[in-house]
Amino acid sequence: MNGAESLVRTLLASNVDVCFANPGTSEMHFVAALDRVPGMRCVLGLFEGVVTGAADGYARMAGRPASTLLHLGPGLTNGMANLHNARKARSSIVNIVGEHASDHLQYESPLRSDVPGAAALASDWWRVGGAGHGIARDAADAVTAARSQDGQIATLILPADTAWSPGGEPVAAAEPPALARAPAEGMRRAVEALRSGRRCALLVTGLALEEAGLPVVARLAGAGIRVMASQSNRRVARGRGRLVVPRVPFAVDQGVAWLAGLEVLILAGSHPPAAFFGYPGKPRMLTPAGCEIQALVEPGGDVLHALAWLADELGLPGMARPVPAAEAPTLPADGRLDADNVMQTMAAMLPEHAILCDESVSSGRSLFRFTDGAAPHDYLQITGGAIGSGLPMATGASVACPDRKVVCFEGDGSGMYTLQALWTQARERLDVVTIILANRSYRILQGELKGVGIDQPGEQAHRMLDLVGPELDWVALARGQGVDAVAVDTVAGLADAFRGACARRGPFLIEARIP
């Protein structure tokens, strides 16, 4: 077999059987190998940001990596924004990036670029294949790296000649190293702080917020320990019957007020809560001055073991107390749509065990208030601040979980970054309902103007932040890519459209027109 076939067989032997792809000339042997080697599902994205964002959504829901197939340096850098989001989420992704043939790199051809330099920007692990390693071993090492430290981005750069040259025997990836556990000294300090009577809080993320982790968190919260979630998280199990773990607020002033008076913050796999940006005259950290910050377990470590150990050290019951019931959402009264009643309508009608992908940005700030008591669901969010993640993330989540309804909450501005994901949803017949919050502006940036002290922006500033003249027609945009769509501007209209979309299979888009 050639190197390309050896690569595909190694990925399959390592339980990587989905490839999101946007290939070019340097990857044609890999494309051909996908035909000759059965078992790999290939999903085409029309833009590399769709490819990488879909791989992120897939990894979050499947709990294992997908591969991507990207074309040279420009293809990798086109997908960089959603690799950034995936890296912040600790998603597992194996990028396969084609490169010019080894003997062609000496020439200044149009597509020659610093692919290793680009890979280093977006990856936790990267390697140029064919330099002393067999392509099969390179691929297996990439999979192991992607599965390490609770999820990493691994990028394997493969010169074209490694694909057409003879390949070695396929191998299965080795098991990743065990997750690092909390050190005894960190545990001692945390227990001492929690018993001291000082005002303490525990900041969690990662597996602690997923279905398997919430019962462990509930042991601590049920004993009166203040537990909070990071602002951005890979995946959160939410809805009826599940513990509500409040997130650190996004806005600086709200975050500072929320953490006011805190004396000790214990980090369980999380980073200290910094402001999203540095604003004039505002603090960079949300914790109060003098707050002691302790690391119980580092990011990428074994959070579940650390929290269970902490609960044991504190002598807390092995079984969590019953979770307080959150109020079930109800349909709002009919009337013109606004951001809040869109959220409330969706929450009241959310299907059981749906996957909710959220890139509603500023319009969705109140989403958790309405969905605490909604039907049980998994919540996925933008994690790195690079907009354009929502539609691709929903696409990948649906590939990972074809038996679950995916609901994507998307802002109209951010949705335009990667609207090509709708075409992939139509091509793959994915069961995704997209609700576009169409306020015809970059509303979050209007708020950011005020945040940096610009209270009276002029005409040019306004033009940089609105989406009118012309207005976006999301119904036409969706239908042009093979997705049925409807526009609504009332609560009753949204309820009817959402009910119909959830009753059928396949992609559907609802443009919710709000002020």
Side-chain angles (χ1 to χ4, degrees):
M1 71 186 79
N2 64 21
E5 291 181 31
S6 179
L7 167 72
V8 176
R9 292 183 186 278
T10 292
L11 292 174
L12 289 171
S14 304
N15 201 27
V16 178
D17 56 8
V18 172
C19 179
F20 297 98
N22 188 281
T25 303
S26 301
E27 297 78 45
M28 286 299 101
H29 283 81
F30 299 121
V31 172
L34 295 171
D35 272 331
R36 292 193 295 271
V37 181
M40 181 70 72
R41 180 178 180 181
C42 303
V43 180
L44 178 63
L46 299 185
F47 173 64
E48 291 88 345
V50 173
V51 169
T52 54
D56 180 16
Y58 177 92
R60 296 192 199 199
M61 292 309 305
R64 59 190 176 98
S67 61
T68 71
L69 185 58
L70 304 169
H71 183 43
L72 301 171
L76 174 59
T77 51
N78 273 346
M80 191 78 75
N82 278 330
L83 286 178
H84 167 79
N85 288 324
R87 193 178 188 188
K88 291 289 187 178
R90 307 200 75 91
S91 294
S92 296
I93 297 176
V94 177
N95 297 311
I96 307 297
V97 183
E99 174 61 292
H100 286 302
S102 302
D103 62 355
H104 195 67
L105 285 171
Q106 62 186 305
Y107 305 112
E108 191 56 43
S109 57
L111 278 169
R112 183 178 180 273
S113 65
D114 182 6
V115 183
L121 291 174
S123 310
D124 301 286
W125 178 101
W126 66 269
R127 178 185 293 172
V128 178
H133 302 273
I135 193 171
R137 174 47 54 197
D138 289 329
D141 288 349
V143 175
T144 299
R147 289 176 171 158
S148 299
Q149 297 187 40
D150 194 31
Q152 296 193 127
I153 309 297
T155 300
L156 180 58
I157 304 162
L158 293 176
D161 52 298
T162 65
W164 68 60
S165 298
E169 285 298 312
V171 296
E175 287 298 311
L179 297 179
R181 292 190 164 179
E185 175 60 19
M187 182 61 63
R188 184 195 65 76
R189 293 177 65 214
V191 170
E192 181 182 86
L194 291 167
R195 286 175 171 166
S196 69
R198 290 186 289 172
R199 289 179 293 245
C200 301
L202 189 63
L203 184 63
V204 303
T205 191
L207 291 169
L209 298 174
E210 298 182 23
E211 190 163 12
L214 284 181
V216 183
V217 176
R219 289 179 65 189
L220 298 156
I225 296 172
R226 185 181 180 189
V227 182
M228 61 185 74
S230 297
Q231 209 289 319
S232 297
N233 305 282
R234 176 174 59 203
R235 174 178 171 182
V236 186
R238 303 198 74 248
R240 186 175 57 247
R242 290 166 170 171
L243 179 70
V244 175
V245 184
R247 290 186 301 175
V248 174
F250 169 86
V252 174
D253 293 340
Q254 293 175 13
V256 168
W258 201 59
L259 296 173
L262 197 63
E263 295 177 281
V264 182
L265 181 62
I266 301 166
L267 307 176
S270 51
H271 294 280
F276 217 80
F277 298 103
Y279 299 94
K282 294 189 177 183
R284 302 310 189 235
M285 290 296 298
L286 303 183
T287 47
C291 178
E292 179 184 342
I293 295 179
Q294 299 182 5
L296 176 64
V297 60
E298 295 292 335
D302 194 338
V303 175
L304 298 190
H305 176 269
L307 294 178
W309 183 12
L310 178 62
D312 289 344
E313 288 289 325
L314 293 169
L316 303 181
M319 296 295 292
R321 298 177 185 177
V323 174
E327 184 178 354
T330 57
L331 278 174
D334 192 18
R336 302 293 293 184
L337 286 177
D338 59 31
D340 277 3
N341 61 28
V342 170
M343 307 281 168
Q344 187 177 352
T345 300
M346 182 280 300
M349 304 177 68
L350 190 68
E352 295 273 335
H353 305 297
I355 301 167
L356 181 55
C357 296
D358 177 23
E359 197 181 27
S360 52
V361 199
S362 57
S363 294
R365 297 278 170 81
S366 57
L367 180 61
F368 271 24
R369 174 159 59 91
F370 297 114
T371 52
D372 283 348
H377 62 279
D378 279 300
Y379 173 81
L380 312 183
Q381 68 176 122
I382 181 173
T383 47
I387 63 174
S389 69
L391 293 172
M393 186 164 55
T395 302
S398 187
V399 171
C401 302
D403 57 336
R404 298 175 65 178
K405 181 70 75 173
V406 178
V407 178
C408 179
F409 245 41
E410 183 65 79
D412 51 357
S414 51
M416 286 299 294
Y417 277 58
T418 46
L419 62 85
Q420 305 94 328
L422 295 174
W423 181 89
T424 300
Q425 292 176 14
R427 179 186 177 98
E428 299 292 323
R429 297 179 176 87
L430 301 179
D431 199 15
V432 180
V433 179
T434 300
I435 300 175
I436 298 291
L437 290 155
N439 59 17
R440 296 161 295 283
S441 69
Y442 288 121
R443 185 64 52 81
I444 190 169
L445 296 184
Q446 294 174 358
E448 293 301 313
L449 271 179
K450 294 181 180 179
V452 298
I454 302 172
D455 293 321
Q456 295 182 322
E459 180 182 354
Q460 290 299 328
H462 276 297
R463 282 178 56 80
M464 292 301 99
L465 305 181
D466 70 39
L467 301 177
V468 297
E471 292 188 3
L472 297 170
D473 184 343
W474 275 95
V475 173
L477 289 167
R479 289 176 177 171
Q481 298 189 71
V483 174
D484 287 343
V486 65
V488 296
D489 58 10
T490 65
V491 170
L494 174 61
D496 287 344
F498 191 60
R499 184 180 297 109
C502 290
R504 51 174 279 177
R505 287 193 61 82
F508 192 87
L509 183 140
I510 302 169
E511 180 182 350
R513 295 177 176 171
I514 62 176

